[in-house]
Each structure stands twice: as C-alpha cells, then as structure tokens.
Coordinates of all heavy atoms in Angstrom, one line a residue:
E1 N 9.9 17.9 -25.6 CA 10.3 16.6 -24.9 C 9.9 16.8 -23.4 O 9.4 15.8 -22.9 CB 11.8 16.4 -25.0 CG 12.3 15.1 -24.2 CD 13.7 14.9 -24.2 OE1 14.4 15.8 -24.8 OE2 14.1 13.9 -23.6
R2 N 10.0 17.9 -22.8 CA 9.7 18.1 -21.4 C 8.2 17.9 -21.2 O 7.8 17.2 -20.3 CB 10.1 19.5 -21.0 CG 9.8 19.8 -19.5 CD 10.5 21.0 -19.0 NE 9.8 22.2 -19.6 CZ 10.5 23.3 -20.0 NH1 11.8 23.5 -19.8 NH2 9.8 24.4 -20.5
R3 N 7.4 18.5 -22.1 CA 5.9 18.3 -22.0 C 5.5 17.0 -22.2 O 4.6 16.4 -21.5 CB 5.2 19.3 -22.9 CG 3.7 19.2 -22.9 CD 3.1 20.5 -23.4 NE 3.2 21.5 -22.5 CZ 2.2 22.1 -21.7 NH1 1.0 21.5 -21.7 NH2 2.5 23.2 -21.0
A4 N 6.1 16.3 -23.2 CA 5.7 14.9 -23.5 C 6.1 14.0 -22.4 O 5.3 13.1 -22.0 CB 6.4 14.4 -24.8
R5 N 7.3 14.1 -21.8 CA 7.6 13.3 -20.6 C 6.8 13.6 -19.4 O 6.4 12.6 -18.7 CB 9.1 13.5 -20.3 CG 10.1 12.8 -21.2 CD 11.5 13.0 -21.1 NE 11.9 12.7 -19.6 CZ 13.2 12.9 -19.3 NH1 14.2 13.3 -20.2 NH2 13.5 12.6 -18.1
A6 N 6.4 14.8 -19.1 CA 5.6 15.1 -18.1 C 4.2 14.5 -18.3 O 3.6 13.9 -17.3 CB 5.5 16.6 -17.9
A7 N 3.6 14.6 -19.4 CA 2.3 14.0 -19.7 C 2.3 12.5 -19.6 O 1.4 12.0 -19.1 CB 1.9 14.5 -21.2
E8 N 3.4 11.9 -20.1 CA 3.5 10.4 -19.9 C 3.5 10.0 -18.4 O 3.0 9.0 -18.1 CB 4.8 10.0 -20.7 CG 5.1 8.5 -20.5 CD 6.4 8.1 -21.1 OE1 7.3 8.9 -21.2 OE2 6.7 6.9 -21.2
A9 N 4.3 10.8 -17.6 CA 4.4 10.5 -16.3 C 3.0 10.6 -15.6 O 2.7 9.7 -14.7 CB 5.5 11.3 -15.6
L10 N 2.3 11.6 -15.9 CA 1.0 11.7 -15.3 C 0.0 10.6 -15.8 O -0.8 10.1 -15.0 CB 0.4 13.1 -15.7 CG 0.9 14.3 -14.9 CD1 0.3 15.6 -15.4 CD2 0.7 14.1 -13.4
A11 N 0.2 10.2 -17.0 CA -0.6 9.1 -17.5 C -0.3 7.8 -16.8 O -1.1 7.0 -16.4 CB -0.4 8.9 -19.0
R12 N 1.0 7.6 -16.4 CA 1.4 6.4 -15.7 C 0.8 6.3 -14.3 O 0.5 5.2 -13.8 CB 2.9 6.4 -15.6 CG 3.6 6.0 -16.9 CD 5.1 6.0 -16.7 NE 5.9 5.3 -17.8 CZ 7.2 5.2 -17.9 NH1 7.9 5.9 -16.9 NH2 7.7 4.6 -18.8
V13 N 0.6 7.4 -13.7 CA 0.0 7.4 -12.3 C -1.6 7.7 -12.4 O -2.2 7.8 -11.4 CB 0.6 8.5 -11.5 CG1 2.1 8.2 -11.3 CG2 0.3 9.9 -11.9
G14 N -2.1 7.7 -13.6 CA -3.5 7.8 -13.8 C -4.1 9.1 -13.6 O -5.4 9.3 -13.2
L15 N -3.4 10.2 -13.8 CA -3.9 11.6 -13.6 C -4.0 12.4 -14.9 O -4.2 13.6 -14.8 CB -3.0 12.3 -12.6 CG -3.0 11.7 -11.1 CD1 -2.1 12.6 -10.3 CD2 -4.3 11.7 -10.5
S16 N -4.0 11.8 -16.1 CA -4.1 12.6 -17.3 C -5.4 13.5 -17.3 O -5.3 14.6 -17.7 CB -4.1 11.7 -18.5 OG -2.8 11.0 -18.6
P17 N -6.5 13.0 -16.8 CA -7.7 13.8 -16.9 C -7.7 15.1 -16.1 O -8.4 16.0 -16.4 CB -8.8 12.9 -16.4 CG -8.3 11.5 -16.6 CD -6.8 11.6 -16.3
I18 N -6.8 15.1 -15.1 CA -6.7 16.4 -14.2 C -5.4 17.0 -14.3 O -5.0 17.8 -13.5 CB -7.1 16.0 -12.7 CG1 -6.0 15.0 -12.2 CG2 -8.5 15.5 -12.6 CD1 -6.2 14.8 -10.8
A19 N -4.7 16.8 -15.4 CA -3.3 17.4 -15.6 C -3.3 19.0 -15.6 O -2.4 19.5 -15.1 CB -2.7 17.0 -17.0
S20 N -4.5 19.6 -16.0 CA -4.4 21.0 -16.0 C -4.9 21.6 -14.7 O -5.0 22.8 -14.5 CB -5.4 21.5 -17.2 OG -6.7 21.1 -17.0
R21 N -5.4 20.9 -13.8 CA -5.9 21.3 -12.5 C -4.8 21.8 -11.6 O -3.7 21.2 -11.6 CB -6.8 20.3 -11.8 CG -8.1 20.0 -12.5 CD -9.0 19.0 -11.7 NE -9.3 19.7 -10.4 CZ -9.8 19.0 -9.4 NH1 -10.1 17.6 -9.6 NH2 -10.2 19.6 -8.3
P22 N -5.1 22.8 -10.8 CA -4.0 23.3 -9.8 C -3.7 22.1 -8.9 O -4.6 21.5 -8.2 CB -4.7 24.4 -9.1 CG -5.7 24.9 -10.0 CD -6.2 23.7 -10.8
A23 N -2.4 21.9 -8.7 CA -1.9 20.7 -7.9 C -2.4 20.9 -6.4 O -2.7 19.8 -5.9 CB -0.5 20.5 -8.1
R24 N -2.4 22.0 -6.0 CA -2.7 22.2 -4.5 C -4.2 22.1 -4.2 O -4.5 22.0 -3.0 CB -2.2 23.5 -4.0 CG -0.6 23.6 -4.0 CD -0.2 24.9 -3.3 NE 1.3 24.9 -3.3 CZ 2.0 25.8 -2.6 NH1 1.3 26.8 -2.1 NH2 3.2 25.9 -2.6
V25 N -5.1 21.9 -5.1 CA -6.4 21.7 -4.8 C -6.9 20.3 -5.0 O -8.1 19.9 -4.8 CB -7.4 22.6 -5.7 CG1 -7.0 24.1 -5.5 CG2 -7.4 22.2 -7.1
L26 N -5.9 19.4 -5.3 CA -6.2 18.0 -5.5 C -6.3 17.3 -4.2 O -5.9 17.8 -3.2 CB -5.1 17.3 -6.4 CG -4.9 17.9 -7.7 CD1 -3.7 17.2 -8.4 CD2 -6.1 17.8 -8.6
S27 N -6.9 16.1 -4.2 CA -7.0 15.3 -3.0 C -5.6 14.9 -2.6 O -4.6 15.0 -3.3 CB -7.9 14.1 -3.2 OG -7.2 13.2 -4.0
G28 N -5.5 14.4 -1.3 CA -4.2 14.0 -0.8 C -3.6 12.9 -1.6 O -2.4 12.8 -1.9
G29 N -4.4 11.9 -2.0 CA -3.9 10.9 -2.8 C -3.6 11.3 -4.2 O -2.5 10.8 -4.7
E30 N -4.3 12.2 -4.8 CA -3.9 12.8 -6.1 C -2.6 13.6 -5.9 O -1.7 13.5 -6.9 CB -5.0 13.6 -6.7 CG -6.2 12.8 -7.0 CD -7.4 13.6 -7.3 OE1 -7.5 14.8 -6.8 OE2 -8.3 13.2 -8.0
Q31 N -2.4 14.4 -4.9 CA -1.2 15.1 -4.7 C 0.0 14.2 -4.6 O 1.1 14.4 -5.2 CB -1.3 16.0 -3.5 CG -2.3 17.2 -3.7 CD -2.1 18.1 -2.6 OE1 -1.2 18.1 -1.7 NE2 -3.1 19.0 -2.5
Q32 N -0.2 13.1 -3.9 CA 0.9 12.1 -3.7 C 1.3 11.5 -5.1 O 2.5 11.3 -5.4 CB 0.6 11.0 -2.7 CG 1.7 10.1 -2.3 CD 2.8 10.9 -1.5 OE1 3.5 11.6 -2.1 NE2 2.9 10.6 -0.2
R33 N 0.3 11.2 -5.9 CA 0.6 10.7 -7.3 C 1.2 11.7 -8.1 O 2.1 11.4 -9.0 CB -0.7 10.1 -7.9 CG -1.1 8.7 -7.3 CD -2.2 8.1 -8.1 NE -3.5 8.7 -7.8 CZ -4.6 8.6 -8.6 NH1 -4.4 8.0 -9.7 NH2 -5.7 9.1 -8.1
V34 N 0.9 13.0 -8.0 CA 1.6 14.0 -8.7 C 3.1 14.0 -8.3 O 4.0 14.1 -9.2 CB 1.0 15.4 -8.5 CG1 1.9 16.5 -9.0 CG2 -0.3 15.5 -9.1
A35 N 3.3 13.9 -7.0 CA 4.7 13.8 -6.6 C 5.5 12.6 -7.1 O 6.7 12.7 -7.4 CB 4.8 13.9 -5.0
L36 N 4.8 11.5 -7.1 CA 5.4 10.3 -7.7 C 5.7 10.4 -9.3 O 6.7 10.1 -9.7 CB 4.5 9.1 -7.5 CG 4.5 8.6 -6.1 CD1 3.3 7.6 -5.9 CD2 5.7 7.9 -5.7
A37 N 4.7 11.1 -9.9 CA 4.9 11.3 -11.3 C 6.1 12.3 -11.6 O 6.9 12.1 -12.5 CB 3.6 11.9 -12.0
R38 N 6.2 13.3 -10.7 CA 7.3 14.2 -10.9 C 8.6 13.5 -10.7 O 9.6 13.8 -11.4 CB 7.1 15.3 -9.8 CG 8.2 16.5 -9.9 CD 7.7 17.6 -9.0 NE 7.6 17.3 -7.6 CZ 7.1 18.0 -6.7 NH1 6.6 19.3 -7.0 NH2 7.0 17.6 -5.4
A39 N 8.7 12.6 -9.7 CA 9.9 11.8 -9.5 C 10.2 10.9 -10.6 O 11.3 10.8 -11.2 CB 9.8 11.1 -8.2

C-alpha cells in the first residue's frame, strides 16, 4: 500500500518517469514536485 500510494502521488505530479532517480540531483522544479507529492 505504501509503495502504491507513493507511486500514485508521483504520477499525479508528473514524475513517474524519474521515480527511481536520486531526489537531490533533480532540478529545482522537480524537487519541489517531489515535496508536493510527499505531502
């Protein structure tokens, strides 16, 4: 359930293609969307 909900949240913010990438190497906008997905 945890993995499914996390994947769904990343899909909602348009980041499914980079779900496996290290978060800290993403662009500023992508990092902000990860933070929004996490919330």
